Amino acid sequence: MAAAFAVIAPLFLLGNASGHDFEFHLLSWMEVVNQWKQGNLYPRWAQFAHWSYGEARFLFYPPTSWNLGAALGAVLPWKLVSGAYTWIALTASGFSMFLLARRWLSGRDAIFAATLYSANPYYLVIVYWRSAQAELLAGCLLPLLLLLILRAEEEGKRIIVPLCLVVAAAWLTNAPAAVMVNYSLVLLVVVVAIVRRDPRILFYGGGAVVLGAALASFYLVPAAYEEKWINLGEVLAPGVRPQDNFLFTRTHEDDHNRFNLLMSIIAMAEMLVLAASVYLSRKRHKDQSAAWWTLTVWATAVVLVMFPFTLLLWEHLPKFRYVQLPWRWLLCLNVAFALLVTIACRRWITRLLLYATMLALIWIVWHRTQQPWWDTPADIEEMHDAIEDGGGYEGADEYVPAQVDPYELKKDAPQVTILSGDRARIHIVEWSAQSKIFSADVPHAEQVRLRVFNYPAWKVEVNGRPVPATSQPITGEIVFSLPVGANAVRVTFVRTPDRLGGGIISLGALFGVIVLSIQNKRQRRPPT
């Protein structure tokens, strides 16, 4: 907890570190709090994205991080929320690493491993340059993943339940991290099954993967089914494709090259330290050879996928390319980094000097390669005002409805527009995130356009009857017809069948987990 506080301490002096994803996350949290005030406890549609035209952000972005950030925003000033969130995420990582390290190390050594993991160099990059808050939170799951797999032989099939909870938590926290968790799980169970000559471990891992995905189906099924309704291909646009982000790769953008150089330097430094630690620790803890081999193979695989010669894997392994950034695998590498450095460096002075050297390297790249960006309290207040006054903010291109160009939108467009240009009496009754209610008195049949992106989940009713809606070409707003006279219009964001199906699967999986947990409790023998 103290180490996590030390990481965020500079924020009190310098302001909020405004990394690549800072505004995305902070605005999402503000949006969620706004919708909670409307009585919408689980948002699906981001009302104020794209200057209040909206987007289906909360259908596709996993819910854990934006619920945690919003909960903090409900009780803290917004200028403190990002720091509090970071402290919680880093502390959680330290706790989970302590549970893993305490399996083999003394209490003092386990505390060092936990401290090193909660303040590792890649975490510092996330905090000060990337602001990838969901990825940061997912880091606490990786030590638990390794711990449970190493316990699989002694726990038997009882390990399926806690392991599937880790898999489900990964899917509900960060999609790229979930892909890394699933591929890591496959690799780890194979290594452990070979080292311990126990093929049953493979089946335990497979069962956990399936059951974990089923638990998260209330999020996964709609996200998978509805991805054809949005411009999801933007997540692999030039600049964020794997081939643009291998270590020491250069593109035509100077800003991209500077940041990639920063990441490459830090990644190579960690790899060199880890290689030395693997060599020095190879003859120690012989009674835990399975753990040493597992860590070494995992770390080696992670190192390899950061280099361009593995491009075929990125292109052909299922969903592998959605990790996007090869150096993102440092999230996994740091589990081996924290443990093996602790095992290899027995003297505390050596440990402290090593970490001081890593901090010095970060200080150098901070000042010589790429400095972080900062937001003041006034900048945070401006973001909050964009939500409160309804003006909105720039959204994410990947969540825009398919075939829509958000850069052609008019920021000053009214909420309801009569396409013919004739005068009509419009009275807005309600204009919330998931419900638009208004009356329209028109002298003759008209086409109406709403300041809302059309999306299949929107249901339009005129005078109590459903009417078909179309999309405005290029800009994609909702367009529908009104008959002559006074009309009562209700536009509602409804629950689509895929959302219902995903919820049913999750409930069924939850029932299965409860049954398995009861059976495991009955079968567990008392310790000798």
Side-chain angles (χ1 to χ4, degrees):
M1 294 169 70
F5 185 81
V7 169
I8 68 168
L11 303 180
F12 292 98
L13 298 175
L14 301 174
N16 282 278
S18 182
H20 299 153
D21 296 340
F22 179 74
E23 290 190 5
F24 174 87
H25 287 290
L26 192 61
L27 288 166
S28 294
W29 302 345
M30 292 176 177
E31 176 108 41
V32 172
V33 171
N34 184 275
Q35 294 201 32
W36 285 352
K37 293 177 181 178
Q38 297 176 19
N40 184 16
L41 299 182
Y42 193 99
R44 301 286 184 172
W45 184 261
Q47 177 182 4
F48 299 107
H50 300 288
W51 320 114
S52 297
Y53 285 80
E55 67 181 20
R57 171 178 304 196
F58 302 120
L59 270 166
F60 296 96
Y61 204 87
T64 302
S65 66
W66 48 260
N67 274 291
L68 174 59
L72 293 172
V75 296
L76 294 175
W78 283 111
K79 63 182 180 181
L80 300 179
V81 171
S82 180
Y85 178 104
T86 300
W87 180 82
I88 291 172
L90 297 180
T91 300
S93 284
F95 285 171
S96 62
M97 176 53 73
F98 181 82
L99 291 175
L100 172 63
R102 194 63 183 91
R103 183 175 172 87
W104 309 291
L105 304 178
S106 67
R108 286 165 58 88
D109 288 341
I111 288 174
F112 176 78
T115 302
L116 178 59
Y117 185 66
S118 64
N120 69 67
Y122 182 56
Y123 275 4
L124 297 180
V125 172
I126 292 179
V127 172
Y128 286 98
W129 281 273
R130 296 194 59 225
S131 299
Q133 303 289 31
E135 182 182 335
L136 185 67
L137 187 61
C140 70
L141 301 173
L142 293 163
L144 301 179
L145 175 72
L146 179 60
L147 174 63
L148 293 172
I149 291 174
L150 292 174
R151 288 175 53 187
E153 185 179 35
E154 58 194 78
E155 292 288 335
K157 65 179 182 180
R158 292 191 296 270
I159 207 65
I160 294 176
V161 170
L163 194 56
C164 83
L165 295 177
V166 170
V167 173
W171 280 119
L172 297 175
T173 302
N174 181 250
V179 175
M180 293 189 287
V181 163
N182 279 272
Y183 275 102
S184 295
L185 188 153
V186 171
L187 176 65
L188 293 173
V189 296
V190 169
V191 173
V192 173
I194 292 173
V195 171
R196 294 183 173 171
R197 298 179 176 85
D198 188 353
R200 295 176 301 171
I201 295 174
L202 299 175
F203 295 99
Y204 303 152
V209 168
V210 173
L211 191 55
L215 281 171
S217 287
F218 71 91
Y219 155 72
L220 281 176
V221 170
Y225 181 81
E226 298 184 21
E227 68 175 34
K228 60 181 178 291
W229 297 347
I230 60 172
N231 286 322
L232 190 62
E234 291 294 325
V235 302
L236 294 173
V240 289
R241 301 173 301 180
Q243 59 264 41
D244 298 329
N245 292 281
F246 288 114
L247 298 188
F248 298 106
T249 297
R250 294 185 63 83
T251 68
H252 298 295
E253 295 185 13
D254 291 338
D255 290 341
H256 177 277
N257 292 338
R258 282 195 297 271
F259 182 75
N260 196 57
L261 178 61
L262 178 149
M263 288 304 315
S264 301
I265 292 171
I266 291 176
M268 288 301 300
E270 284 201 44
M271 291 175 189
L272 292 173
V273 172
L274 183 59
S277 300
V278 168
Y279 178 79
L280 294 174
S281 64
R282 70 192 189 284
K283 294 184 178 179
R284 296 176 181 173
H285 294 269
K286 293 182 180 180
D287 56 328
Q288 295 293 342
S289 60
W292 186 88
W293 275 108
T294 303
L295 282 170
T296 302
V297 172
W298 191 17
T300 302
V302 165
V303 168
L304 292 177
V305 298
M306 296 188 208
F307 291 95
F309 60 81
T310 61
L311 181 59
L312 284 177
L313 296 179
W314 287 89
E315 291 178 340
H316 297 292
L317 287 178
K319 303 298 181 182
F320 202 74
R321 63 187 180 277
Y322 286 108
V323 176
Q324 295 176 294
L325 314 169
W327 40 257
R328 192 175 245 157
W329 279 94
L330 286 168
L331 196 70
C332 298
L333 187 73
N334 279 304
V335 178
F337 178 82
L339 277 176
L340 293 176
V341 166
T342 303
I343 294 172
C345 302
R346 307 302 297 174
R347 300 177 60 186
W348 280 85
I349 186 64
T350 305
R351 294 171 175 174
L352 296 177
L353 286 174
L354 177 62
Y355 190 71
T357 302
M358 298 297 292
L359 287 181
L361 177 64
I362 293 174
W363 186 87
I364 291 172
V365 297
W366 179 312
H367 289 85
R368 299 294 181 88
T369 305
Q370 177 67 73
Q371 292 192 3
W373 308 269
W374 304 96
D375 275 345
T376 65
D379 296 323
I380 306 300
E381 188 62 30
E382 184 178 348
M383 295 182 208
H384 187 241
D385 290 343
I387 301 292
E388 292 299 314
D389 64 19
Y393 54 88
E394 184 178 4
D397 290 347
E398 59 265 31
Y399 302 135
V400 172
Q403 311 302 320
V404 169
D405 184 355
Y407 299 100
E408 295 294 328
L409 298 173
K410 295 182 178 179
K411 298 181 183 180
D412 58 349
Q415 293 172 324
V416 181
T417 302
I418 304 298
L419 291 185
S420 69
D422 290 347
R423 299 184 63 180
R425 287 185 294 177
I426 307 294
H427 175 64
I428 305 296
V429 178
E430 178 183 341
W431 201 269
S432 62
Q434 299 189 162
S435 178
K436 322 292 183 183
I437 303 173
F438 62 94
S439 62
D441 192 349
V442 292
H444 47 77
E446 291 281 7
Q447 288 278 304
V448 177
R449 182 178 65 206
L450 305 188
R451 185 185 168 125
V452 180
F453 279 141
N454 194 17
Y455 194 77
W458 286 113
K459 178 182 178 181
V460 180
E461 294 178 307
V462 177
N463 301 321
R465 296 181 179 180
V467 299
T470 59
S471 300
Q472 181 76 4
I474 302 177
T475 53
E477 301 107 301
I478 296 176
V479 176
F480 58 92
S481 299
L482 285 180
V484 62
N487 297 279
V489 181
R490 178 186 294 268
V491 183
T492 311
F493 199 82
V494 300
R495 180 181 295 274
T496 50
D498 52 281
R499 286 172 56 190
L500 179 61
I504 292 173
I505 294 173
S506 290
L507 287 175
L510 180 60
F511 178 76
V513 166
I514 293 173
V515 171
L516 286 174
S517 300
I518 293 173
Q519 290 179 348
N520 292 343
K521 188 175 182 179
R522 290 176 178 175
Q523 294 173 1
R524 187 179 296 275
R525 292 177 296 179
T528 59

